[in-house]
Amino acid sequence: MKNIKPYSRAQNHTFTIFGVLDYRQFYNRVKPIDPIEQLLKYPTDVLIIMLSRINAIIFESDGTPNQIDHDTFRLVFNRMNRSIYERLIKIRLTQEGRHAAIFTSQAIVSLMAKLIAHYRPINDQDRINEEGEALLQMELFDAVLAINDTYYNRADNKNLLSITHLWKMELFQQEFARKKINMYGVNAFKAFLFFRFVGERYGETLLNEFADAFGVASPYNFYFVFLQTIISSYTGYEQDRQPRYCIVDETLERVLEPFIYDPTAVPASAFSGEAFALINQPFYRFSEGVAVLDFDFFSNLTDISLIYYFYKVTSLRKNHGIKNYNEYLGIIGKHFFEEYITLQLVRQIFMHRHDRIKTDKDDPQYPDILIMQNNKDVFVIEVKSARIHGTVVDRADTTGFEQFLYDHFASEKKLAGEKNKGIYQLRNQIRYLKSVGRKFRIFPVIVYTEPSLDISGVNTFLDEQFDSIILDDRSSFIKIHPLTLIHLHFFIRYYPGLKSERFFLRDRITEYHDRKKKELKDAIKKANPWTYLTAQFSFMRFMEQTYPTGNPMNYFEEVATDFGFGEQAKGAENLSI
């Protein structure tokens, strides 16, 4: 993958907050009660194609809101009344409107979902002349502004310096689910390890079944199909500034078939209009081909959906005694994410002769992974692969999000049959370490796989719960550091640094909490919402901002080579642009 230009364009990913222009701001009047009512007279396919083109422009241009505006008005909304363009120019001259976005994939997918739920097929009377096309563009543009109003104005801005406000805001933005950079390195490595895990545990036959089901030569080609689609869309856009949003290749369609939403094949009652339902089916079939609803969802297809469809299309259930999907997820969580990928990464990284690694297999009282450096610094690590339900994210349900955190990361055993989870597991494991020694600096860590835990304030929320239950044990050691939540992807993206610098993990954790404490104090003192936001960054976001990885090939080639994926990595490098 050395020659793929989108990697250099992926830039050093840092978190951004942007303002969004809505109906009230644009027209200075109340938005329509129903944002799609005026669109129901049009064939759904026509509307979805136009919106897919916008999302492709957003994804492929990789530009500022003004750059996205330029191409969207040039290619999609190019026949509207002149007054609309004049009004936009005036708004762009104001301080508030200068950098505000009009077109965001999050809101557009929400609009798509509402339209698909009210699917209206094309009929013989559908003929749109030039005047009718101008009206269609006007009404769709108004719907985009109205959905912005509906989508983004659900937050209560009364208390900007609160964790709940941060959660609401970031659940809207969905930045955590739209990290396209992961498609080029992280997800490739995870997919390679997943196929190896399945082959070792269940045999090569299942891998062949999976490849046959998708019509590819090997399971690794399944991943390359998605990557090549993205590369082609990027490079094509660079060449002629025309967005690629349709798939017309029959072979590619066959591979993508399970991920295509066909409105003519699904009863209308089966789709409720929830945008999260499109994450696993981000392709839309229409009469002339297949449209890509949102390229950002490709990351999910090469990650979460890959695991799901392996269960669905192979004989795993029939020949290996797995009763249901929940049991399968339990196996993936415990044996793949915890014992296979995370532990293997840790063993490859901490190889110094004075580093020791233990697991709960060595002693049931130990955590999932225990790392001891120089008999002084001890990392007590629990690995959690819990997934949040899509409706919580789709509805920006902060109450449901908080309950998810309690249920999976801060739950104490109270009845027979229950288990301690998260911070309560760490507390018991830290107490057990007293029998091993007391001259330790303890670093409690939860490694997670759920992307939404990247949002700001989650680490603070769980650390406060942890601090309240560990107070009595602090005097038993030199120091018990604050709780740190670390995304599994950290160990892949920062693999070279972790390998070359022995105390990289310890030093970055210490730096993160020192900066967090300082910025939080400053934010509250000055009542500064932006400083409060950055102070509440997750560890992963802090790393992305402070230590950007740049080109994903910087870490992918090293970690792939160390794990023996030389041949598969060559397949990635051979992708053309």
Side-chain angles (χ1 to χ4, degrees), residues 18 60 85 199 248 278 292 303 350 363 386 426 484 499 508 571:
F18 50 82
E60 294 162 8
Y85 307 114
V248 294
L278 298 177
V292 181
D303 192 353
F350 296 94
D363 187 329
L426 291 174
T484 309
K499 283 275 288 185
R508 297 296 82 76

Side-chain angles (χ1 to χ4, degrees), residues 6 16 21 28 31 42 52 63 75 79 127 144 212 261 263 272 283 300 327 360 420-421 441 498 531 553-554:
T16 56
L21 196 61
N28 197 27
K31 71 176 178 65
Y42 299 111
S52 293
L75 297 169
R79 295 191 177 183
R127 296 288 186 272
V144 170
D212 291 344
Y261 182 88
S272 62
F283 306 97
N300 185 76
E327 182 180 341
D360 54 357
N420 288 317
K421 293 184 179 180
R441 294 184 297 213
L498 288 160
T531 305
M553 291 304 93
N554 295 338

Side-chain angles (χ1 to χ4, degrees), residues 132-263:
E133 186 172 349
L135 178 62
L136 165 61
Q137 290 186 14
M138 287 281 294
E139 292 183 330
L140 183 57
F141 180 70
D142 285 354
V144 170
L145 293 173
I147 205 71
N148 284 350
D149 207 320
T150 301
Y151 188 88
Y152 288 108
N153 288 330
R154 294 176 286 174
D156 180 1
N157 293 325
K158 292 179 181 178
N159 186 3
L160 299 180
L161 272 64
S162 72
I163 286 177
T164 302
H165 174 76
L166 294 183
W167 289 353
K168 177 71 76 171
M169 178 181 64
E170 293 199 35
L171 288 171
F172 290 155
Q173 298 273 20
Q174 296 179 7
E175 186 266 353
F176 57 85
R178 296 176 176 276
K179 291 186 176 179
K180 65 186 77 173
I181 190 82
N182 287 339
M183 286 184 268
Y184 307 124
V186 168
N187 286 1
F189 177 70
K190 286 167 65 180
F192 293 172
L193 268 184
F194 177 73
F195 292 133
R196 177 184 285 177
F197 165 78
V198 170
E200 291 176 359
R201 189 176 181 89
Y202 300 109
E204 295 292 321
T205 300
L206 284 182
L207 296 179
N208 295 331
E209 290 176 6
F210 181 83
D212 291 344
F214 287 96
V216 292
S218 82
Y220 298 97
N221 288 17
F222 169 86
Y223 179 82
F224 296 147
V225 163
F226 291 99
L227 196 55
Q228 182 65 70
T229 303
I230 292 172
I231 293 166
S232 298
S233 71
Y234 262 128
T235 54
Y237 191 82
E238 284 183 332
Q239 292 168 6
D240 58 20
R241 306 305 293 178
Q242 294 291 325
R244 270 62 175 177
Y245 58 92
C246 286
I247 294 168
V248 294
D249 182 88
E250 292 183 1
T251 301
L252 185 55
E253 273 194 42
R254 188 169 65 250
V255 177
L256 301 177
E257 184 63 37
F259 311 108
I260 298 173
Y261 182 88
D262 186 344

Side-chain angles (χ1 to χ4, degrees), residues 51-62:
L51 294 172
S52 293
R53 184 179 290 184
I54 298 171
N55 266 353
I57 291 170
I58 295 170
F59 183 85
E60 294 162 8
S61 69
D62 227 7

